[in-house]
Amino acid sequence: MLSKALLRLGASAARHPWRVIAAWLVAATLAVLAAVAFGGRTADSMTAPGLDSQQAAQLIERAGTGQEGMTAQVVVTPLDGAATFFDHGSARTALTRLQTEVTRLPHVLGTSDPAGALDARGDTIVRGGLVSADGRIAVVRVQYPDQSRLSAKDLDALVDLGDRLRAELPLRIEMGGNLFYAFSDPDGGASELIGLLAAAAILFLAFGSLVAAALPIGMAVFGLTVGVATMTVLAGVTDVPTFAPVLGSMVGLGVGIDYALFVLARHREYLARGLNPHEAAGQAVATAGRPVVFAGGTVVVSILGMAVANVPFMTVGGLAVSIVVLTMVLASVTLLPAFLGAAGPRLARVGRIGRALQTRKLGRLARRRHPAAGSAHAAGWRRWIGHVSQHPVPYAVGAAGLLLTATLPVLGLRVGLPDDGSLPHSRTERRAYDLVAEGFGPGSNGPLVIAADPTGDPEVLDRLVGAVAADPGIASVAPTHIDRATGIATLVVFPTTSPQDKATADTIARLRTDVLPMAIGHGPARAHVGGAAASLSDVGQRTSQRLPVFVAAVLAMSFLLLMLVFRSILVPLKAVLLNLLSIGAAYGIMVAVFQWGWGGALIGLEATVPIVSFIPMFLFAILFGLSMDYEVFLLSRVREEYLRTGDNGTAIVEGVSRTARIITSAALIMVAVFLSFAVADDPSTKMFGLGLATAIFIDATVVRMVLVPATMTLLGRTNWWLPKWLDRTLPSGPVGTDAESTGEAPRPRLVDH
């Protein structure tokens, strides 16, 4: 039985704490050394098999034009604001030197030639997108090979060259392109530190003890070190997306500290009952550790379920984040009890600072949250839960109406990928983006690449170029490049709108469904639309199509697991519906902030952006798993009280009030950690941070403290209804009562006949 195994594991770790801590030190050291020796850098590869953009990339690769590889662009303008490249000789000379130096960088296959285009002065300049019509802005487009042959060193070399030439040339130099997107270091660092500090403050207020506050932080740091280092080793084997370390740190810190909080709170309860530290640690792991293992497993299974999208970078990203979550679960049932054993009886005491807080008026909050004053704290929650239980209908209707209202903006959700125009002005990518948009139009920041195989129809290319150029969404078409060996042609076309604009996605769809088929006809020739903007649009469409299947699979899995745990039909059904409400409300708030701009300035958002295509699926997987933490932790206590008293109303009031302090503290920690990432530069990181923080806040307040007691009161004893035949069929669940875990009582049957 899981509880007995956890009891032995926790007690053994507490009896031999220094052995376990030493083992984790060795594991962390080996993981870091392996990351240094064999690890790789994160890299984004926004492709997926079967997509039209992927077929375009395959044609381009066959042609060997080099356009299937990575690109960067160096955007320059004279420092003298009145000068142009047409009439300023030193600026033109500086441009030539910059272009030459860029060409000499490692792995650069070639560059565009704006200096040579200056001699033409005609329409070629504008069509080629090399020098703006007014001569103020020039673009050096840099072509690299396929991403698999590159590394972050190539980005570093380009950035270092720009830094050196800024000091030597009379030019303002800015840089961008998908080389930056693929190899830029993700946001993190400062956000992780802010999250840890906020969590430490909340833990101290919750327990009134520096020792008690330090243990969950220490465990989370250990787990995060091992998890992220293992993720880095994985990056040496396959492409791990750049968001994975950030998301892994975010989720790892949140769940790690939460899991430790659950176990630590139970440990202090057992110490207060008079158990010695070793026994208390074992019992804490046996009781609180079971929901931790269950909840962590649910998070992992939910995240790995994203493989149904058939988008490789999402599958690998989910695997990387799952490694961190698994590490935190393992640390919660091994390293944390070792810490508890090493701390001994000190965890039962309140520190001097905690006592000082309790002597002040401000200290009432800390005093209520300390176990020594737990009865006073629980009394306050009992009054609240009792009040909700006495008026279940208005509270259930009001809370559900509030969440449904918050969900309404989801009807306007638009997926895509924020372009560099959404970055802060402090980033060179944003400044390069603005210069290109100013000089050549917004569509120049996201050119499309049409790959055509004219086999059997040599005249198709002329029809194709004419039809594409005539489309209202296309601003210009660069000269066609035809590979002599294969006959494959590539056309670089510039939309009239920016990469993240919905009109660009509409243009891509129109080219595929109307323009290209009409130009090609029914012959054997074929053409596909590729490029970064097209790839991202395709990935967004695929994830949107697969999201309903994924959601249905996660809901079914969660329902079955909760039915197994709580031996009930209605409890898991209610849990699934309420979780959907909280996640839907979080989605709605994200749409309001990022697409509509409501309150965006509060998190440093400088422009409205679409919701990143893969984030809704990631958020659903993570949030549904995390919500199981609170669901299992709360309902297992309600179930214990129901088994003890047989009274549904008493079980709800006692079960919810006894867990309220821990759930609210855990939620505050998660919200603090996630919000610390919401102020990062990258819009994707902001979305992850705000979405997770919002959903956890709603789940721990409106759902757990209002909707759960209200709906369980309305359902009465039918909460625990389970058909007799199904009860006999189901195996024993992994979560039981304290008595069950210690063998003090037989397992009750939760069946209403």
Side-chain angles (χ1 to χ4, degrees):
M1 187 176 177
L2 177 62
S3 58
K4 292 182 179 179
L6 290 174
L7 176 64
R8 291 192 297 267
L9 182 62
S12 176
R15 287 193 190 95
H16 310 286
W18 301 114
R19 295 180 188 178
V20 177
I21 294 171
W24 271 91
L25 279 171
V26 171
T29 302
L30 291 177
V32 171
L33 291 176
V36 173
F38 309 109
R41 294 285 292 270
T42 57
D44 288 311
S45 179
M46 298 290 186
T47 59
L51 298 178
D52 189 69
S53 54
Q54 181 70 8
Q55 296 178 44
Q58 292 170 351
L59 277 181
I60 296 170
E61 187 174 1
R62 276 182 52 199
T65 63
Q67 290 176 320
E68 74 278 8
M70 304 294 293
T71 60
Q73 58 184 16
V74 182
V75 188
V76 296
T77 186
L79 287 176
D80 182 354
T84 71
F85 287 107
F86 293 148
D87 56 23
H88 198 284
S90 61
R92 184 180 299 194
T93 301
L95 176 61
T96 303
R97 180 186 165 190
L98 180 145
Q99 183 177 327
T100 301
E101 299 241 17
V102 170
T103 305
R104 293 173 180 169
L105 289 174
H107 296 132
V108 170
L109 300 178
T111 68
S112 62
D113 186 17
L118 284 168
D119 297 331
R121 293 288 189 95
D123 184 55
T124 303
I125 300 173
V126 178
R127 289 181 60 203
L130 303 178
V131 183
S132 62
D134 60 7
R136 291 184 53 255
I137 300 169
V139 179
V140 178
R141 303 187 189 279
V142 190
Q143 186 66 54
Y144 286 91
D146 185 79
Q147 182 172 333
S148 62
R149 297 167 56 188
L150 301 175
S151 70
K153 293 180 180 178
D154 294 286
L155 176 60
D156 294 340
L158 181 62
V159 171
D160 291 343
L161 176 63
D163 291 339
R164 177 168 62 83
L165 293 183
R166 286 188 185 97
E168 300 175 4
L169 302 179
L171 299 175
R172 174 187 169 191
I173 302 173
E174 307 295 350
M175 300 178 176
N178 58 17
L179 186 73
F180 282 79
Y181 180 80
F183 294 112
S184 291
D185 288 327
D187 291 330
S191 295
E192 295 171 12
L193 179 59
I194 294 171
L196 282 172
L197 293 175
I202 294 169
L203 286 167
F204 179 69
L205 287 176
F207 292 116
S209 166
L210 290 175
V211 175
L215 295 188
I217 300 295
M219 189 213 79
V221 170
F222 260 98
L224 198 60
T225 301
V226 174
V228 173
T230 306
M231 187 189 300
T232 304
V233 175
L234 179 65
V237 179
T238 186
D239 288 336
V240 174
T242 54
F243 66 79
V246 176
L247 186 58
S249 299
M250 194 186 309
V251 175
L253 283 177
V255 302
I257 296 174
D258 263 19
Y259 294 165
L261 179 62
F262 293 160
V263 176
L264 178 59
R266 278 293 181 105
H267 176 74
R268 284 162 64 94
E269 286 183 20
Y270 288 122
L271 288 177
R273 295 181 190 178
L275 274 67
N276 66 50
H278 300 164
E279 294 174 338
Q283 293 290 352
V285 173
T287 52
R290 286 170 299 161
V292 165
V293 172
F294 173 79
T298 305
V299 173
V300 170
V301 172
S302 298
I303 295 175
L304 292 180
M306 290 188 301
V308 301
N310 196 23
V311 179
F313 81 89
M314 290 178 60
T315 302
V316 176
L319 175 61
V321 175
S322 297
I323 290 173
V324 179
V325 175
L326 280 175
T327 305
M328 290 299 182
V329 172
L330 183 61
S332 299
V333 297
T334 58
L335 180 60
L336 182 61
F339 283 163
L340 299 178
R346 287 177 292 177
L347 288 174
R349 298 193 296 266
V350 181
R352 286 182 296 178
I353 299 178
R355 287 196 299 270
L357 282 174
Q358 291 181 10
T359 61
R360 291 178 170 82
K361 190 174 181 180
L362 183 62
R364 291 176 182 172
L365 176 61
R367 183 165 61 254
R368 291 191 190 108
R369 289 183 174 175
H370 185 261
S375 58
H377 180 275
W381 283 109
R382 282 193 196 95
R383 287 193 295 272
W384 167 251
I385 301 304
H387 175 70
V388 172
S389 299
Q390 291 171 6
H391 308 87
V393 174
Y395 274 106
V397 172
L402 176 66
L403 296 186
L404 287 172
T405 301
T407 304
L408 287 177
V410 172
L411 298 175
L413 185 145
R414 180 171 69 86
V415 298
L417 191 78
D419 54 33
D420 288 346
S422 60
L423 295 174
H425 286 89
S426 59
R427 297 275 292 269
T428 185
E429 302 101 297
R430 169 62 186 273
R431 297 192 296 268
Y433 178 97
D434 290 344
L435 282 175
V436 170
E438 177 186 344
F440 307 96
S444 295
N445 281 297
L448 306 175
V449 181
I450 298 177
D453 183 355
T455 301
D457 189 357
E459 298 179 356
V460 71
L461 292 181
D462 291 336
R463 299 198 303 271
L464 198 62
V465 172
V468 171
D471 186 87
I474 300 300
S476 61
V477 180
T480 306
H481 180 280
I482 303 176
D483 179 62
R484 294 183 179 180
T486 61
I488 295 174
T490 54
L491 292 77
V492 178
V493 301
F494 298 92
T496 57
T497 50
S498 68
Q500 73 175 26
D501 199 309
K502 184 179 182 299
T504 302
D506 294 340
T507 297
I508 294 170
R510 189 169 57 251
L511 289 175
R512 287 171 173 164
T513 57
D514 298 332
V515 177
L516 299 187
M518 290 185 63
I520 292 175
H522 300 288
R526 58 195 179 104
H528 304 281
V529 182
S535 295
L536 297 171
S537 176
D538 289 350
V539 169
Q541 288 184 5
R542 171 164 289 185
T543 54
S544 297
Q545 292 168 356
R546 300 289 175 89
L547 184 60
V549 177
F550 171 72
V551 169
V554 172
L555 294 181
M557 177 198 68
S558 301
F559 176 83
L560 292 174
L561 287 175
L562 288 174
M563 182 174 64
L564 175 66
V565 170
F566 294 111
R567 323 296 291 182
S568 165
I569 295 292
L570 294 181
V571 164
L573 180 61
K574 171 190 63 64
V576 165
L577 294 177
L578 295 187
N579 287 342
L580 277 177
L581 273 178
S582 62
I583 294 173
Y587 282 0
I589 292 172
M590 285 175 59
V591 170
V593 172
F594 290 97
Q595 289 185 209
W596 301 352
W598 293 7
L602 297 176
I603 58 172
L605 189 68
E606 298 187 2
T608 57
V609 294
I611 304 301
V612 177
S613 56
F614 54 83
I615 282 183
M617 186 174 285
F618 255 105
L619 281 184
F620 187 87
I622 294 169
L623 289 171
F624 215 90
L626 293 181
S627 66
M628 292 297 103
D629 292 3
Y630 303 142
E631 190 73 27
V632 173
F633 191 73
L634 185 152
L635 290 181
S636 61
R637 280 300 185 96
V638 174
R639 178 175 178 246
E640 289 177 13
E641 294 299 323
Y642 180 74
L643 293 174
R644 185 176 63 85
T645 65
D647 182 82
N648 185 68
T650 300
I652 294 170
V653 173
E654 290 298 318
V656 177
S657 62
R658 289 176 64 189
T659 56
R661 175 177 62 90
I662 300 303
I663 287 179
T664 51
S665 297
L668 281 174
I669 289 170
M670 276 205 180
V671 169
V673 170
F674 295 151
L675 281 181
S676 68
F677 286 84
V679 296
D681 287 346
D682 182 64
S684 300
T685 305
K686 290 180 184 293
M687 289 181 194
F688 276 126
L690 183 65
L692 289 169
T694 302
I696 293 298
F697 177 78
I698 292 172
D699 190 78
T701 54
V702 179
V703 172
R704 303 297 156 206
M705 300 306 152
V706 179
L707 277 173
V708 166
T711 54
M712 292 190 76
T713 299
L714 290 173
L715 291 173
R717 286 179 57 85
T718 56
N719 278 302
W720 311 109
W721 173 77
L722 185 70
K724 292 175 61 177
W725 64 268
L726 185 57
D727 181 59
R728 289 192 298 266
T729 304
L730 293 176
S732 298
V735 177
T737 65
D738 287 353
E740 291 167 4
S741 70
T742 59
E744 297 171 2
R747 179 179 178 80
R749 291 169 58 86
L750 284 176
V751 183
D752 282 346
H753 300 284

